């Protein structure tokens, strides 16, 4: 995975989990060898959203981040065999790559023509709920 990420033509920011860091150290993996990857400490929710919002695309194994990327209209590449968010796979907005990691650079290049639908609403749920409550309280 690190070799593929390092080969991308875009810079990579990798908030690295302490367990992942410990395992890489245990396996003798030298992080400075991956010159295209900026390994950073884990980040909080707001920083994670910010990284996604200002990214070209998102590569993850997290179910939650897949959905966030979709709502932010960012292409997502998911390093898993399956996803609980199957609807995000439509139109290439999310792509599963567990068995074919070598395809990641090609998928990253194909970011145009993605069609993000409003699968999860339009962001105006609170107003709609208030309107329904007001109409039904009379």
């Amino acid at each position: 995975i690190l070799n593929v990420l390092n080969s991308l033509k875009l810079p990579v920011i990798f908030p690295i989990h302490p367990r992942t860091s410990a395992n890489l150290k245990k396996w003798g993996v030298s992080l400075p060898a991956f010159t295209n990857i900026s390994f950073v400490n884990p980040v909080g929710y707001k920083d994670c959203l910010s990284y996604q919002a200002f990214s070209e695309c998102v590569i993850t194994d997290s179910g939650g981040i897949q959905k966030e990327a979709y709502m932010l209209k960012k292409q997502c590449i998911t390093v898993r065999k399956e996803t609980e968010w199957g609807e995000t796979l439509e139109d290439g907005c999310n792509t599963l790559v567990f068995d074919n990691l070598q395809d990641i650079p090609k998928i990253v290049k194909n970011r145009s023509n993605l069609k993000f639908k409003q699968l999860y609403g339009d962001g105006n749920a609170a107003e709609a709920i208030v309107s329904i409550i007001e109409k039904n309280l009379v």
Side-chain angles (χ1 to χ4, degrees):
I1 294 171
L2 293 178
N3 285 330
V4 171
L5 294 178
N6 199 52
S7 74
L8 294 175
K9 301 295 183 214
L10 297 168
V12 176
I13 299 173
F14 188 150
I16 190 164
H17 190 280
R19 204 173 325 130
T20 303
S21 184
N23 279 325
L24 291 172
K25 195 175 288 185
K26 180 175 84 175
W27 298 326
V29 176
S30 171
L31 297 185
F34 300 97
T35 57
N36 192 45
I37 304 173
S38 295
F39 294 96
V40 298
N41 290 327
V43 296
Y45 181 69
K46 288 180 183 177
D47 287 334
C48 185
L49 279 178
S50 180
Y51 278 134
Q52 291 176 69
F54 292 100
S55 70
E56 293 290 325
C57 69
V58 174
I59 302 172
T60 187
D61 64 351
S62 164
I65 289 177
Q66 292 173 58
K67 195 169 181 182
E68 290 165 2
Y70 191 91
M71 288 191 263
L72 291 167
K73 296 181 174 31
K74 297 296 178 175
Q75 178 192 40
C76 186
I77 299 169
T78 302
V79 184
R80 288 173 47 185
K81 290 185 179 187
E82 58 188 16
T83 178
E84 53 274 81
W85 308 113
E87 64 274 14
T88 66
L89 298 172
E90 295 176 20
D91 302 318
C93 296
N94 186 5
T95 307
L96 301 175
V97 296
F98 188 83
D99 291 324
N100 44 351
L101 296 171
Q102 71 283 355
D103 290 345
I104 291 175
K106 179 177 65 178
I107 297 165
V108 169
K109 283 183 188 176
N110 295 325
R111 288 190 313 278
S112 60
N113 300 322
L114 299 177
K115 295 178 179 95
F116 292 89
K117 301 171 187 159
Q118 289 186 341
L119 295 174
Y120 307 113
D122 61 4
N124 297 307
E127 290 87 354
I129 291 168
V130 168
S131 176
I132 291 168
I133 290 171
E134 287 175 342
K135 287 178 188 173
N136 290 298
L137 282 177
V138 180

